[in-house]
Amino acid sequence: MIEQKVIDLIAEQLGMEDKSNITAETTFDGLGMDSLDKAEITMKLEDLYNITIDDNIRFRTIGDAVNYIQTNKEYVLNGSADWLKKKINPRFSLF
């Protein structure tokens, strides 16, 4: 599911109608992406999955990006509320 969304996003960014040749093994450089394309896709992925991708991270393949998203999405889903639980006074309710 994540892989297909990443492929769809890249194809849209590059104006590609045929996505059949984009796989997990496809390299970003092999798609002819320039630095602006990569930056825009990174921002879209961050927004879509509510994650932060460090500026120092460079994905070589589509699969690298998918693995990073899966790992960090799991962290957000499983651990993001822990800090909130510690800060909320148990005498008060959010609802």
Side-chain angles (χ1 to χ4, degrees), residues 85 87-95:
K85 291 174 190 171
K87 292 192 177 275
I88 296 175
N89 186 326
R91 294 181 300 154
F92 300 103
S93 173
L94 293 176
F95 302 96

Side-chain angles (χ1 to χ4, degrees), residues 9 13 35-45:
L9 188 77
Q13 178 70 29
S35 58
L36 181 58
D37 288 325
K38 291 175 185 177
E40 288 178 358
I41 287 173
T42 298
M43 288 186 292
K44 288 178 181 179
L45 291 172

Side-chain angles (χ1 to χ4, degrees), residues 32-79:
M33 296 175 67
D34 61 23
S35 58
L36 181 58
D37 288 325
K38 291 175 185 177
E40 288 178 358
I41 287 173
T42 298
M43 288 186 292
K44 288 178 181 179
L45 291 172
E46 287 177 325
D47 289 343
L48 181 63
Y49 291 105
N50 194 31
I51 61 172
T52 301
I53 300 173
D54 190 279
D55 292 338
N56 297 322
I57 294 177
R58 301 285 183 255
F59 302 123
R60 193 178 74 73
T61 66
I62 305 298
D64 292 342
V66 170
N67 289 336
Y68 182 88
I69 292 166
Q70 286 174 331
T71 300
N72 286 281
K73 183 179 172 196
E74 289 299 315
Y75 172 76
V76 168
L77 290 175
N78 294 327

